[in-house]
Amino acid sequence: MKSSHIIITLSCLINLRNAVAVEILRPRGVSVTKTALYDPEKNFTCFDGAVTIPFLQVNDDYCDCLDGSDEPGTAACSNGFFHCTNVGHQAVDLFSSRVNDGICDCCDGTDEFDGRDILGGGHCINICHEMGQVAREEAQRLAEMQKKGAELRREMARKAAELKAEKLNQLNQLKKDQEEALAIKVEKEVIKSQAEEKENAALAVYREAEEKEKAKKAEIQKEENAKEAKSMFELFDSDRNGRISLQELQTKQEFDRDRDGQVTAEEARFFLNENEEVGEDSFVAECWPRMKPFYMMNAGKYIVPGDGISKEDTDDINNLEEPNTDTDLAEEENFNEEVTDATETEDYHEETHNSDDEDHDDAYVEKEEEKYVSEVQYNAETQKIIDDAVNARHEYEEADRSVRDVEREIRQIEESLQKDYGIDGEFAALEGECFEYTDREYIYKLCPFDQASQRPKNGGGDTRLGSWGHWVGSEPNKYSHMMYTNGQSCWNGPQRSTKVELACGTENLLTAVSEPNRCEYKFDLQTPAACNFSEDSSSKGLHDEL
Ligand code: MAN
């Protein structure tokens, strides 16, 4: 059995202020707080109460207790713990497997009581004082940083409260503005309705006149079409018998629909509306409207609907002309030559010329009509009514826009007032600010309460890594982590998201960014807003074990 006891003389240092020498008798690897459980005058009962052994068997390098409590100072129990007192620094509980393993784990060297130090090549030496000194200085620095951070946090919270009060005032004012704007809108709407009622009544007279004018124009047009049709009838009725036959039409090359050089009886019949011959009335009413487009086409005109030509016919004709291949062109040239040689040539040209003129006339009429619609000259009284209505509409639109503007501002302020900016609103100051962090590949950007993004260093656009979602810190500090969600979709993966871990610091700084899982990012943000200073945390790490 190895020595089961050690006498530890502690210069018990309480913050290094009062040096008091005390002697405490306790087995190796036992903390001061557990000393009473190891009384050399009594048998030892395992902590789990299962077995009681003679005290001599404590630390005898044989594991008697299932909970390992009889071997606090040896490696005999695999589940035991060794307590390093580490006077001058922090006490530590080690797994007992680390006792006497040739590596100095405790800064006071007590875990290697046979003195071996494989790594250092000599004996373990007590370096607790030096380590404690460094730790205390670091703890002091941290405490000061946290104290300063906490002051800044208070300032941020104070400003947030001011801002909130300001926003509430603004909201009150805006609600009043909203009421006024709504009242004006209602007023303007009434004025607009009245003005438009008057305008409609005044314009009704003009609309009626317009309709009449249009009908008159249509009548004139109809008459002109009939006149044109009659003159064409005379032209085609070469035997002057008052009827137009298939044979008469077959002499007119213009009706060669398939352009094979001759007008067949079928082609002629098509233009005579499937009749063998027609009299003037049928010609005027049914045949000429069918024929006219072919005349136009052969004169190289683009046909527009109207003049008794249906939209379908017009489209047919125009579509016929489109696929004008080289062969088509050649054929057309031949055809024109033939026409020039023919006896009807003069008539043909004359007629073409005439219909050209009529075309100009049609266009003129149409233009005039349009002009009439858009540029009607109203009398002074009507014009005033129209102007009043235009103004009333304009003023109503202005009033409506004012209402919408005020409502938008109200919405923005209400949204901002509803946002959770921390216990004291301390995080509010981060809104509107953006922080960047650059690694080897990307420039990361965090705009708190807005969004997180990533931009390749060597150029390229921003990738959205998430929009502000909610606080996700676990209790008691919900405000330790932020979550930004619904970022750009990852190829074959989830939508990007970012978790921001907040730490206390004396300035707002993005200190690290990583991507622990593909398209899931972690940002580390330092900010005074995260400094929740308390006396406990300020003194943490400064005490050592008595
Ligand atoms: C981009 C970046 C990366 C991400 C991959 C996923 O390259 O957004 O952060 O891992 O896309 O394909």
Side-chain angles (χ1 to χ4, degrees):
M1 191 184 80
K2 295 190 179 166
S3 74
S4 62
H5 291 78
I6 51 166
I7 296 173
I8 298 175
T9 303
L10 285 179
S11 283
C12 184
L13 307 173
I14 304 169
N15 287 341
L16 298 179
R17 279 179 299 214
N18 311 314
V20 182
V22 283
E23 282 196 344
I24 300 170
L25 197 64
R26 52 184 164 129
R28 187 188 302 277
V30 172
S31 66
V32 174
T33 50
K34 289 186 180 148
T35 305
L37 299 170
Y38 295 87
D39 183 351
E41 306 300 321
K42 294 180 186 164
N43 285 337
F44 176 75
T45 301
C46 304
F47 289 175
D48 61 9
V51 183
T52 298
I53 52 173
F55 194 79
L56 281 174
Q57 284 176 230
V58 170
N59 274 346
D60 67 346
D61 211 10
Y62 181 84
C63 193
D64 297 288
C65 298
L66 281 176
D67 64 7
S69 54
D70 65 312
E71 294 298 316
T74 75
C77 296
S78 59
N79 55 346
F81 285 95
F82 180 89
H83 182 82
C84 324
T85 308
N86 289 345
V87 174
H89 190 30
Q90 293 261 296
V92 173
D93 285 324
L94 296 178
F95 287 116
S96 51
S97 58
R98 298 174 82 167
V99 173
N100 268 353
D101 62 351
I103 298 164
C104 305
D105 295 293
C106 305
C107 64
D108 61 6
T110 51
D111 60 312
E112 299 302 316
F113 52 81
D114 69 355
R116 284 184 297 136
D117 173 17
I118 297 171
L119 287 184
H123 290 274
C124 296
I125 46 168
N126 188 334
I127 51 169
C128 289
H129 184 70
E130 291 79 357
M131 281 181 75
Q133 188 62 31
V134 172
R136 277 186 292 277
E137 279 167 13
E138 177 59 11
Q140 185 71 36
R141 193 192 63 76
L142 266 176
E144 273 162 21
M145 187 269 283
Q146 283 186 333
K147 198 172 168 191
K148 171 108 187 290
E151 274 167 28
L152 292 169
R153 179 188 180 277
R154 274 193 293 277
E155 184 57 18
M156 286 166 96
R158 197 185 55 73
K159 281 200 180 132
E162 265 177 27
L163 199 70
K164 191 171 176 180
E166 223 171 86
K167 281 188 177 163
L168 283 169
N169 272 342
Q170 247 177 305
L171 191 62
N172 276 339
Q173 185 53 48
L174 281 169
K175 292 246 161 107
K176 281 182 199 149
D177 293 351
Q178 185 190 24
E179 264 177 44
E180 271 174 39
L182 275 170
I184 294 174
K185 185 180 159 181
V186 169
E187 198 180 293
K188 298 289 178 192
E189 195 169 11
V190 172
I191 296 173
K192 179 174 92 91
S193 304
Q194 288 167 349
E196 282 181 340
E197 226 171 88
K198 269 180 146 183
E199 183 190 40
N200 276 336
L203 287 182
V205 180
Y206 283 85
R207 281 201 198 103
E208 221 172 278
E210 240 173 77
E211 291 306 316
K212 273 191 193 147
E213 184 69 14
K214 261 194 213 158
K216 204 166 117 198
K217 293 253 165 70
E219 192 52 40
I220 294 171
Q221 188 64 56
K222 207 172 145 195
E223 277 165 22
E224 276 173 4
N225 287 345
K227 210 165 113 198
E228 176 191 66
K230 280 179 187 162
S231 77
M232 294 312 291
F233 183 87
E234 273 172 38
L235 178 71
F236 297 152
D237 183 17
S238 31
D239 61 8
R240 306 277 175 236
N241 70 344
R243 302 192 69 76
I244 290 174
S245 64
L246 288 180
Q247 291 73 23
E248 280 170 327
L249 225 51
Q250 278 179 274
T251 64
K252 312 286 178 203
Q253 282 303 320
E254 291 87 338
F255 300 119
D256 180 12
R257 291 181 75 201
D258 59 8
R259 300 194 180 185
D260 66 350
Q262 56 176 354
V263 181
T264 63
E266 281 70 35
E267 283 169 325
R269 201 175 282 113
F270 167 79
F271 291 110
L272 290 188
N273 208 16
E274 305 307 325
N275 294 304
E276 295 301 303
E277 58 171 29
V278 293
E280 194 186 64
D281 290 349
S282 306
F283 180 86
V284 170
E286 292 145 18
C287 304
W288 175 240
R290 232 175 221 226
M291 292 170 181
K292 186 174 176 179
F294 286 84
Y295 251 80
M296 300 294 186
M297 186 180 71
N298 287 326
K301 290 180 183 174
Y302 187 84
I303 323 293
V304 290
D307 300 356
I309 308 169
S310 73
K311 167 96 172 61
E312 290 69 30
D313 279 348
T314 311
D315 288 347
D316 282 352
I317 304 299
N318 287 330
N319 289 341
L320 259 182
E321 249 198 330
E322 259 172 36
N324 220 356
T325 59
D326 287 346
T327 334
D328 283 339
L329 279 176
E331 278 175 10
E332 196 152 326
E333 269 166 29
N334 290 340
F335 166 71
N336 286 339
E337 273 166 25
E338 280 166 29
V339 170
T340 317
D341 292 343
T343 41
E344 298 92 352
T345 312
E346 272 175 28
D347 291 342
Y348 168 76
H349 281 296
E350 214 181 289
E351 283 309 312
T352 315
H353 178 75
N354 285 344
S355 68
D356 236 5
D357 281 350
E358 279 157 16
D359 241 32
H360 284 307
D361 290 346
D362 293 348
Y364 175 77
V365 170
E366 268 170 33
K367 270 199 188 123
E368 280 304 289
E369 268 178 5
E370 268 173 33
K371 228 164 105 186
Y372 183 81
V373 174
S374 60
E375 291 174 18
V376 179
Q377 287 298 310
Y378 302 107
N379 65 28
E381 195 190 344
T382 311
Q383 190 58 53
K384 176 153 188 329
I385 292 172
I386 294 171
D387 290 347
D388 286 350
V390 169
N391 278 342
R393 273 192 287 275
H394 181 70
E395 283 185 18
Y396 169 76
E397 276 155 22
E398 289 267 288
D400 183 49
R401 197 171 308 121
S402 299
V403 170
R404 280 185 281 126
D405 285 350
V406 174
E407 285 174 348
R408 195 182 46 249
E409 276 189 70
I410 290 179
R411 238 184 352 263
Q412 279 168 353
I413 293 186
E414 280 178 343
E415 268 169 24
S416 135
L417 283 171
Q418 273 159 18
K419 268 194 195 163
D420 183 353
Y421 292 119
I423 302 170
D424 303 312
E426 64 276 18
F427 290 99
L430 298 183
E431 185 156 43
E433 302 265 339
C434 293
F435 310 102
E436 288 192 346
Y437 179 84
T438 306
D439 72 2
R440 273 183 309 152
E441 225 181 320
Y442 298 103
I443 299 166
Y444 290 91
K445 191 165 162 187
L446 175 70
C447 304
F449 302 103
D450 185 8
Q451 63 168 319
S453 61
Q454 171 198 59
R455 189 171 73 247
K457 256 162 79 171
N458 54 8
D462 278 7
T463 301
R464 280 181 300 102
L465 305 184
S467 301
W468 164 242
H470 47 277
W471 292 103
V472 284
S474 40
E475 292 301 335
N477 188 9
K478 157 184 175 192
Y479 301 104
S480 63
H481 291 84
M482 292 170 150
M483 196 70 201
Y484 292 76
T485 53
N486 297 327
Q488 259 165 262
S489 290
C490 198
W491 191 75
N492 255 351
Q495 276 186 290
R496 287 174 172 80
S497 62
T498 301
K499 192 169 185 179
V500 179
E501 185 171 322
L502 295 135
C504 170
T506 49
E507 56 181 324
N508 298 320
L509 208 62
L510 204 51
T511 55
V513 172
S514 58
E515 191 178 342
N517 295 308
R518 197 167 147 259
C519 295
E520 288 178 15
Y521 303 84
K522 179 176 174 282
F523 285 22
D524 289 340
L525 180 69
Q526 253 186 25
T527 169
C531 299
N532 230 342
F533 182 76
S534 72
E535 283 305 318
D536 275 1
S537 56
S538 75
S539 53
K540 212 165 129 193
L542 288 178
H543 298 305
D544 55 45
E545 191 177 320
L546 287 175

